[in-house]
């Protein structure tokens, strides 16, 4: 299918995608075994499909607080790339951290590093079930990757092109080094926590099983975001739900022309051994995603980034003293 197809086909595509997503068998509450590890059937489904939707991860009261603080960040966005004041004429405190479109007025694509801007985002980062899930997938020595707000405004939310995040851990032929059981070199995963309803019209779409083959190998290309990929499915979320996506999976988002905005907090995690020694320009610890030069993830670099995890755990402990905190090793 292409953008030349009649518009009615998009309605059918969204409807069929919803049905495929609900039939896939990779959604439900976080469940852990007696050792604190994700239930094996959840891990199996994640490894098979390259993503998993968790329902009711964050409580309604915490999501309400998170949404309020993320909205403050969105409302303080600069009105233009070269004009660091918001729509109220106030200084945009973190103007350089916003990725904006070239439209007039510009639309927000994402905001990098919200956990340094707002307390609620920092506390969600240390949610004990989220960290237990990260340890189950990446091992107990997991380390941070990237944190961001993904925002798709109603009626004018920009698309996110079809892409695979990882560039390093493939064979020459583009076969994933990550094995079906989760062992081997991996590109880590992203968890998106929903603060709004994520519908087929505004949400992230993922191609199940696509984490096994790199589309750019052998001079390949990613499909244009105008293309309706028949096997792709939408990551359907309600506020408080979260979707964990293998960074090697082919994923993207269509332009949001619906009346519902999409507001999600993205939290990324790496397997420590897969990060150390990797050299890449796809670096997300800069002010904005990407960077001016390649960075090699040394042991010292990774250790420095990992310090943010106990800092977040301590911040969460102060707000939720009766909650059992995650013990990061």
């Amino acid at each position: 299918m292409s953008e030349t197809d009649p518009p009615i086909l998009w309605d059918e595509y969204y409807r069929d995608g919803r049905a495929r997503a609900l039939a896939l068998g990779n959604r439900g509450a976080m469940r852990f075994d007696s050792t604190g590890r994700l239930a094996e059937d959840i891990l199996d489904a994640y490894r098979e499909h390259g993503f998993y939707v968790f329902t009711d991860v964050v409580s309604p009261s915490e999501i309400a607080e998170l949404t309020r603080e993320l909205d403050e960040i969105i409302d303080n966005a600069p009105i233009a790339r070269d004009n660091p004041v918001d729509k109220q004429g106030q200084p945009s405190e973190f103007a350089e951290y916003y990725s904006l479109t070239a439209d007039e007025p510009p639309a927000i694509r994402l905001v990098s590093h919200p956990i340094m801007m707002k307390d609620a985002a920092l506390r969600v980062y240390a949610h004990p079930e989220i960290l237990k899930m990260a340890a189950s997938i990446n091992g107990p020595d997991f380390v941070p990757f990237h944190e961001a707000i993904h925002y798709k405004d109603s009626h004018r939310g920009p698309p996110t092109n079809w892409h695979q995040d990882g560039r390093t851990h493939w064979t020459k032929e583009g076969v994933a080094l990550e094995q079906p059981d989760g062992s081997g070199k991996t590109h880590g995963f992203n968890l998106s926590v929903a603060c709004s309803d994520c519908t087929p019209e505004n949400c992230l779409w993922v191609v199940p099983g696509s984490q096994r083959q790199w589309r750019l190998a052998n001079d390949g290309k990613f499909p244009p975001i105008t293309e309706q990929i028949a096997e792709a499915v939408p990551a359907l979320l309600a506020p408080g739900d979260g979707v964990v996506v293998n960074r090697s999976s082919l994923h993207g988002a269509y332009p949001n022309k619906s009346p519902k905005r999409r507001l999600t907090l993205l939290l990324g995690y790496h397997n420590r051994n897969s990060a150390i020694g990797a050299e890449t320009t796809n670096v997300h610890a800069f002010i904005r995603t990407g960077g001016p030069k390649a960075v090699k993830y040394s042991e010292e670099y990774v250790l420095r980034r990992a310090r943010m995890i106990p800092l977040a755990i301590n911040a969460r402990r102060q707000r939720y003293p009766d909650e059992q905190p995650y013990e990061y090793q």
Side-chain angles (χ1 to χ4, degrees), residues 22-321:
L22 295 177
L24 204 56
N26 65 334
R27 64 184 298 123
M30 281 191 188
R31 292 179 286 106
F32 301 90
D33 63 22
S34 59
T35 69
R37 190 169 182 265
L38 268 180
E40 199 62 35
D41 64 299
I42 293 176
L43 289 169
D44 288 345
Y46 167 72
R47 291 166 184 157
E48 178 183 356
H49 302 300
F51 74 107
Y52 198 98
V53 174
F54 292 109
T55 54
D56 300 319
V57 177
V58 182
S59 72
S61 60
E62 189 171 0
I63 281 294
E65 187 175 29
L66 177 65
T67 304
R68 183 170 64 252
E69 293 196 1
L70 297 191
D71 274 337
E72 290 173 0
I73 295 174
I74 296 300
D75 290 342
N76 191 228
I79 58 174
R81 292 176 174 179
D82 58 352
N83 191 352
V85 298
D86 65 22
K87 58 190 176 185
Q88 305 300 327
Q90 300 300 311
S92 178
E93 185 177 3
F94 299 100
E96 66 271 31
Y97 290 87
Y98 293 78
S99 292
L100 306 174
T101 67
D103 302 326
E104 185 58 46
I108 300 170
R109 291 186 182 277
L110 61 82
V111 187
S112 294
H113 310 308
I115 71 171
M116 77 175 189
M117 303 174 189
K118 294 294 182 180
D119 291 340
L122 179 63
R123 290 192 292 265
V124 170
Y125 187 87
H127 192 293
E129 293 203 342
I130 289 175
L131 296 185
K132 284 164 62 179
M133 180 270 295
S136 299
I137 294 175
N138 282 340
D141 56 351
F142 67 91
V143 294
F145 172 51
H146 180 53
E147 315 81 49
I149 301 169
H150 275 280
Y151 189 68
K152 306 288 184 187
D153 201 1
S154 58
H155 302 293
R156 62 187 299 263
T160 301
N161 291 330
W162 287 113
H163 68 287
Q164 293 165 295
D165 290 318
R167 296 289 186 274
T168 52
H169 299 324
W170 309 98
T171 68
K172 245 190 305 189
E173 294 75 29
V175 177
L177 297 183
E178 182 176 0
Q179 299 301 300
D181 65 355
S183 62
K185 295 285 188 179
T186 81
H187 291 121
F189 68 81
N190 294 325
L191 170 73
S192 294
V193 177
C195 293
S196 65
D197 287 318
C198 298
T199 67
E201 293 81 5
N202 69 21
C203 74
L204 182 74
W205 286 64
V206 186
V207 177
S210 57
Q211 74 276 13
R212 302 185 187 100
Q213 181 69 39
W214 195 27
R215 294 289 184 107
L216 297 187
N218 303 315
D219 298 320
K221 294 181 180 180
F222 295 133
I225 194 56
T226 51
E227 182 173 330
Q228 299 174 343
I229 299 178
E231 64 270 29
V233 298
L236 305 171
L237 306 172
D241 294 349
V243 58
V244 57
V245 181
N246 187 315
R247 295 182 60 245
S248 297
S249 295
L250 184 66
H251 56 288
Y254 298 108
N256 181 23
K257 300 177 182 179
S258 79
K260 289 187 175 182
R261 67 171 186 164
R262 192 241 286 186
L263 176 65
T264 52
L265 176 67
L266 181 142
L267 307 173
Y269 303 90
H270 272 316
N271 169 287
R272 182 179 184 275
N273 288 335
S274 295
I276 291 176
E279 187 169 350
T280 178
T281 55
N282 187 21
V283 177
H284 291 68
F286 292 126
I287 288 177
R288 295 193 188 90
T289 57
K293 60 182 181 179
V295 166
K296 188 169 185 177
Y297 291 140
S298 67
E299 203 159 336
E300 180 186 3
Y301 184 105
V302 171
L303 177 61
R304 208 163 54 239
R305 279 282 284 165
R307 289 173 180 163
M308 60 191 276
I309 296 177
L311 288 172
I313 291 171
N314 185 53
R316 187 172 182 90
R317 183 187 290 115
Q318 293 177 52
R319 181 56 183 270
Y320 302 108

